[in-house]
């Protein structure tokens, strides 16, 4: 990287645990792109001013993360259809004419991880999605586009799930349910889009929803697994997967929007999952 490097950053609050700088640095190296990627810790009150400053000072693109994905929509008049459907933006791109385009790459990130990295087919399958917040709404449309038999949204506050069903019902077979009322028949996929894993809390899920063919996916990620993936294994799931792949794939899609090049995600995912080097007492 030299002084003429194009500038990118991730904006969040807090943001210091973000792995995006590591991921984009690897993408840049791999594709020989001259760019820098920083972290910007920005409070909700500072969001609009700091984003404006970043682009006025020559910045080329931003990733937007928690808690700003919805609020950032007021910073741009132009959104891709998938960002509009998700009701959230995770990528801002400075276009050639100087306008800002807001996009959302989370849905494609999850779908790429499921269908390409994990070789899963969603067509004619039953999917249970846990959660009805921002993370959930961002992936409903892309999941329904895969034509599952049904997508059931379960949430602690079932009214939030009801509202999502109303909004997305024209896109496919969608229903809402409270956790305790989930029919105890194994699903093909159970996707955890709640933030409960981040707080180390397990959801009050009934038994009988996991079978030996069920793939359980936590959109959260942690080196040693989450309460949800541990629960899934105990229930006998075929696979219990953490959201590392989604993280890297959504980043790759942002990188493609900014640079027009698709990085190879495999080595980056491997590097993220590699255990830290063991320290030794001898030199
Ligand atoms: P995000 O943008 O990360 O989705 P959010 O909009 O605050 O954040 O949504 C958080 C989601 O996690 C919601 O579905 C929330 O359930 P409620 O709508 O009932 O609040 C869910 N969630 C968080 N902690 C939870 C817990 N301990 N048990 C069950 N659901 C939880």
């Amino acid at each position: 990287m030299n002084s003429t490097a194009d500038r990118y950053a991730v904006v969040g609050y807090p943001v210091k645990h973000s792995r995006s700088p590591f991921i984009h640095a690897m993408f840049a190296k791999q594709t020989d792109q001259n760019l820098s990627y920083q972290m910007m810790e920005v409070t909700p009150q500072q969001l609009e001013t700091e984003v404006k400053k970043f682009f006025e000072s020559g910045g080329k693109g931003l990733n937007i993360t928690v808690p700003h994905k919805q609020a950032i929509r007021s910073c741009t008049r132009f959104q891709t259809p998938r960002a509009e459907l998700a009701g959230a933006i995770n990528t801002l791109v400075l276009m050639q004419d100087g306008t800002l385009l807001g996009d959302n790459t989370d849905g494609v990130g999850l779908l790429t991880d499921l269908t390409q990295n994990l070789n899963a087919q969603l067509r004619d399958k039953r999917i249970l999605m846990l959660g009805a917040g921002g993370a959930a709404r961002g992936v409903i449309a892309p999941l329904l586009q895969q034509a599952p038999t049904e997508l059931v949204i379960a949430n602690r506050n079932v009214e939030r799930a009801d509202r999502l069903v109303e909004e997305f019902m024209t896109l496919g077979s969608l229903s809402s349910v409270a956790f305790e009322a989930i029919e105890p028949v194994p699903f093909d996929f159970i996707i955890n889009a709640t933030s409960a894993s981040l707080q180390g809390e397990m959801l009050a899920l009934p038994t009988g929803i996991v079978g030996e063919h069920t793939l359980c996916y936590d959109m959260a990620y942690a080196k040693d697994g989450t309460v949800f993936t541990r629960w899934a294994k105990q229930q006998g799931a075929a696979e219990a997967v953490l959201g590392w792949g989604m993280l890297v794939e959504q980043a790759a899609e942002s990188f493609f929007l900014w640079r027009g090049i698709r990085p190879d995600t495999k080595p980056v995912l491997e590097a993220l999952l590699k255990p830290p080097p063991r320290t030794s007492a001898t030199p």
Side-chain angles (χ1 to χ4, degrees):
M1 189 195 83
N2 63 37
S3 56
T4 59
D6 289 339
R7 285 195 300 120
Y8 297 86
V10 54
V11 179
Y13 188 73
V15 80
K16 60 178 182 297
H17 299 298
S18 172
R19 306 309 311 269
S20 295
F22 174 83
I23 295 170
H24 284 283
M26 273 194 83
F27 286 166
K29 198 163 172 216
Q30 186 195 92
T31 58
D32 208 15
Q33 296 288 298
N34 187 20
L35 61 86
S36 73
Y37 189 105
Q38 309 296 326
M39 290 195 257
M40 283 169 59
E41 184 145 301
V42 169
T43 65
Q45 293 74 25
Q46 300 166 316
L47 182 65
E48 219 165 307
T49 324
E50 290 303 317
V51 166
K52 209 163 161 242
K53 255 199 248 168
F54 176 83
F55 285 106
E56 279 173 1
S57 66
K60 300 286 188 202
L62 287 175
N63 278 136
I64 309 296
T65 188
V66 179
H68 302 312
K69 289 186 189 183
Q70 279 158 300
I72 194 71
R73 288 180 303 164
S74 63
C75 294
T76 173
R77 281 188 296 137
F78 305 102
Q79 286 183 49
T80 59
R82 63 187 181 186
E84 280 195 30
L85 267 177
I89 288 173
N90 78 338
T91 308
L92 282 174
V93 187
L94 182 69
M95 306 300 283
Q96 297 239 313
D97 64 2
T99 57
L100 279 185
L101 177 68
D103 197 1
N104 191 314
T105 66
D106 286 332
V108 79
L110 173 66
L111 261 294
T112 306
D113 195 32
L114 282 171
T115 61
Q116 292 180 24
N117 300 343
L118 300 166
N119 271 324
Q121 291 300 319
L122 279 67
R123 192 181 186 84
D124 298 331
K125 297 286 165 54
R126 294 177 63 239
I127 306 174
L128 172 64
M129 191 165 68
L130 310 169
R137 71 171 297 134
V139 300
I140 294 173
L143 284 172
L144 287 174
Q145 279 155 10
Q146 299 291 307
T149 312
E150 63 169 340
L151 174 59
V152 178
I153 305 176
N155 200 44
R156 181 174 57 182
N157 172 352
V158 76
E159 281 162 22
R160 277 185 97 185
D162 294 343
R163 285 200 290 277
L164 288 179
V165 170
E166 265 170 44
E167 195 174 333
F168 289 95
M169 66 195 300
T170 55
L171 300 183
S173 170
L174 194 58
S175 60
S176 52
V177 68
F179 287 143
E180 63 277 12
I182 303 170
E183 199 191 346
V185 176
F187 284 83
D188 298 302
F189 296 91
I190 302 180
I191 299 170
N192 183 17
T194 72
S195 52
S197 290
L198 303 175
Q199 302 138 21
E201 287 173 21
M202 187 48 209
L203 306 166
L205 297 172
T207 51
I209 59 175
V210 175
E212 57 188 19
H213 67 287
T214 307
L215 187 155
C216 292
Y217 193 103
D218 200 338
M219 282 166 61
Y221 41 86
K223 275 259 146 108
D224 305 320
T226 62
V227 273
F228 174 75
T229 54
R230 285 192 281 278
W231 169 86
K233 282 180 196 154
Q234 280 162 9
Q235 300 290 312
E239 285 187 76
V241 183
L242 293 158
W244 292 104
M246 177 178 175
L247 175 74
V248 177
E249 296 300 342
Q250 63 78 29
E253 185 76 7
S254 295
F255 191 90
F256 175 69
L257 288 167
W258 294 328
R259 311 300 297 183
I261 295 180
R262 279 198 188 279
D264 182 4
T265 51
K266 200 163 172 256
V268 181
L269 191 50
E270 279 167 7
L272 277 174
L273 296 177
K274 206 161 64 184
R278 281 171 56 182
T279 47
S280 158
T282 49

